Amino acid sequence: MSEQTPELRWAPMTPKPKNRRRIWVIIGIVLAAVAIIGATLFFLVPRGDAPAPGASGSPGPSANETAPPPLSPTQTPEVTQPAPADPTIEVFRERVGGWLTDAPRGLDIIVAETGEAALAVVDTLEQDARRLSDAQPPSTIEAQWRDGVTAYAQRLSELNAAVSAGSDTADAVSAAREAVSKLQGIVGL
């Protein structure tokens, strides 16, 4: 007896489904994890200016030193604020240098752009001017610095008005550029 053998036919294999979606999900998860780790390190790593946690700049009391006498219930302690430290010009230059070196580039962008794009850059420069105003300069240049920052902020305000009105910004940009150049000269940039 002869057994019947099934007839074999060759057919192409069905292609495997593509896993592109799964690959993009994995890439997205990895990028999110890297961003979270980067943000965590940015906020947790101590900066060069700040002392390490638990570190103290002053030595502890020695055995020879005595504690001040305790206050009686009728006495109130005198609280005096320590005088702010006068930074050196080098430290101050480093603190404000980024804002002062970015300003000319921002002004170049304003010349090339119009409308909302230019207004966004002007807003950023005005925020930087507020930061410059808040920075504590060395006492040797304090008066010059304060006058210079006030003039720069005024020029940026005029530039904002010119951009908002859609008028020619060449004179306002030139005046702002001159004001920031004077500030750079004050700190030695």
Side-chain angles (χ1 to χ4, degrees):
M1 290 209 221
S2 80
E3 283 186 37
Q4 280 190 341
T5 57
E7 185 179 325
L8 295 176
R9 293 188 185 180
W10 293 97
M13 294 181 68
T14 57
K16 283 187 169 183
K18 298 194 180 200
N19 293 329
R20 289 184 186 193
R21 184 178 302 150
R22 186 179 313 161
I23 290 170
W24 283 110
V25 168
I26 291 171
I27 290 172
I29 291 171
V30 168
L31 289 176
V34 168
I36 290 171
I37 290 169
T40 302
L41 288 176
F42 178 78
F43 289 113
L44 294 181
V45 173
R47 304 289 185 267
D49 297 1
S56 174
S58 62
S62 67
N64 297 351
E65 295 178 11
T66 59
L71 296 174
S72 69
T74 59
Q75 290 178 317
T76 57
E78 281 188 37
V79 179
T80 58
Q81 294 294 331
D86 195 22
T88 64
I89 190 75
E90 292 80 18
V91 170
F92 185 67
R93 181 183 314 124
E94 188 175 315
R95 187 175 302 147
V96 299
W99 298 312
L100 291 176
T101 55
D102 287 346
R105 281 182 264 164
L107 293 169
D108 290 341
I109 293 170
I110 292 168
V111 168
E113 296 289 335
T114 57
E116 291 298 319
L119 273 176
V121 177
V122 172
D123 288 342
T124 301
L125 291 177
E126 287 180 321
Q127 290 171 8
D128 289 349
R130 283 190 285 280
R131 290 182 189 103
L132 291 171
S133 177
D134 292 341
Q136 178 61 42
S139 58
T140 56
I141 62 167
E142 185 168 11
Q144 288 177 292
W145 178 256
R146 298 289 176 211
D147 293 344
V149 171
T150 301
Y152 177 54
Q154 179 61 36
R155 299 305 165 260
L156 289 175
S157 178
E158 293 165 1
L159 178 58
N160 192 337
V163 170
S164 296
S167 59
D168 183 32
T169 60
D171 291 339
V173 168
S174 178
R177 197 178 302 275
E178 184 179 326
V180 79
S181 177
K182 286 181 182 177
L183 285 173
Q184 289 173 337
I186 291 171
V187 295
L189 284 175

